[in-house]
Amino acid sequence: MVGALVFGGAGGIGSAVSRRLAREHAVAIGCLRRPERARTLAREIQEAGGTAVVVEADASTDAGVVRSFDVAEELGPLRVVVHCVGGWDFPRITELSEESIDAALRLNLRSALLTLREAARRVADGGRVVLLSSAAAEVAPARQSTYAAAKAGLEAAARVAAKEVAKRGVTVNVVRPGATDTELLHATTSPRAIEAMAGSNAMKRLGTPDDVAGAVMMLCSDDSGWVTGAVVDATGGLR
Ligand SMILES: NC(=O)c1ccc[n+]([C@@H]2O[C@H](COP(=O)([O-])OP(=O)(O)OC[C@H]3O[C@@H](n4cnc5c(N)ncnc54)[C@H](OP(=O)(O)O)[C@@H]3O)[C@@H](O)[C@H]2O)c1
């Protein structure tokens, strides 16, 4: 069986990605602060006849990313790597500090760069790498300077990586979700702001984790071998 590694694989969007990948792959589910949630998901996948392991590791550190790949490679040739790690706060530009800038870049950008590096070294020929950005990278909403900057950086880095790994037939793409109905969204964003975001796309609703996972799976499919360095909007038609 071929393997897949999902950083943030038990999160809101990540768990939908892990469940779908598990239909055809042995999946390594990355987590950090909530390992129990990842273990529950792994059990669910195993009970449905799939293969899943949990790797507790900080995706913003060298050691954590390398160990995650080590664990994933034990499952078989690593065909898919998906990066679903990220998060935001709402600092005004006037409130930025060295600490808040570093924290946002570390979580959203450094983890993505380390994942790209390790995937470039270790994903199997013909493999698929997908990273989650955010509509914020393009919309640049007020009070999201660090998050938007980090995700824009992630998109640029993915496009560079796509060029460097193309000779092995590996593709690197980005999915850019809009507001998606996860715990993180509800924990960080007021109901009024969520309602406004849900009304701002063509579909007039929040995205679901499965909506976004569908776009990720499209880019992981055998049919997507000619699509690389792309940024795919999964926003329900925000533009
Ligand atoms: N929800 C939205 O509206 C939305 C919109 C646009 C883009 N996105 C992007 O989509 C991705 C997933 O978002 P989500 O809503 O599903 O959030 P989420 O549920 O909080 O998922 C984030 C995941 O990242 C993991 N994680 C956080 N820090 C980590 C670290 N240092 N090392 C390893 N893992 C770490 C978390 O695992 P633990 O809980 O185990 O720590 C969690 O599984 C993020 O990149 C986010 O920026 C989300």
Side-chain angles (χ1 to χ4, degrees):
M1 198 171 210
V2 288
L5 169 60
V6 187
F7 287 98
I13 296 172
S15 57
V17 171
S18 296
R19 283 191 182 95
R20 284 177 177 237
L21 282 171
R23 295 173 192 164
E24 290 185 11
H25 302 77
V27 182
I29 301 169
C31 63
L32 185 62
R33 285 156 307 176
R34 297 176 66 180
E36 197 43 56
R37 182 172 66 165
R39 282 193 277 273
T40 302
L41 177 60
R43 271 195 302 277
E44 177 197 312
I45 290 171
Q46 288 155 4
E47 280 163 18
T51 302
V53 296
V54 170
V55 49
E56 280 179 60
D58 187 343
S60 67
T61 66
D62 242 334
V65 171
V66 168
R67 199 160 61 75
S68 301
F69 275 79
D70 289 346
V71 169
E73 280 182 338
E74 284 169 18
L75 298 171
L78 186 56
R79 184 182 173 277
V80 172
V81 177
V82 184
H83 180 274
C84 300
V85 170
W88 59 83
D89 53 7
F90 295 102
R92 294 182 194 284
I93 289 278
T94 50
E95 292 166 352
L96 291 180
S97 64
E98 283 182 4
E99 292 72 24
S100 66
I101 294 168
D102 286 351
L105 296 183
R106 180 183 173 123
L107 175 64
N108 292 290
L109 182 56
R110 190 210 275 188
S111 67
L113 283 162
L114 290 173
T115 297
L116 285 169
R117 182 199 70 194
E118 215 54 25
R121 291 175 176 170
R122 297 168 71 166
V123 79
D125 290 359
R128 301 280 182 263
V129 182
V130 181
L131 297 94
L132 291 192
S133 176
S134 165
E138 184 180 83
V139 175
R143 301 185 64 172
Q144 291 221 300
S145 56
T146 48
Y147 182 61
K151 291 296 196 183
L154 171 154
E155 292 183 5
R159 291 169 55 218
V160 171
K163 292 178 181 141
E164 294 190 22
V165 299
K167 57 184 173 298
R168 295 204 293 113
V170 174
T171 65
V172 183
N173 292 293
V174 171
V175 170
R176 197 192 257 171
T180 308
D181 197 356
T182 67
E183 270 181 41
L184 176 64
L185 180 72
H186 292 282
T188 56
T189 312
S190 72
R192 230 175 95 194
I194 292 175
E195 200 183 322
M197 288 189 283
S200 65
N201 62 48
M203 301 281 185
K204 302 293 177 209
R205 64 171 175 82
L206 283 184
T208 66
D210 264 326
D211 288 329
V212 179
V216 172
M217 294 309 293
M218 195 171 73
L219 294 167
C220 292
S221 79
D222 288 338
D223 285 339
S224 72
W226 199 235
V227 180
T228 195
V231 178
V232 174
D233 263 32
T235 61
L238 190 57
R239 291 198 245 192

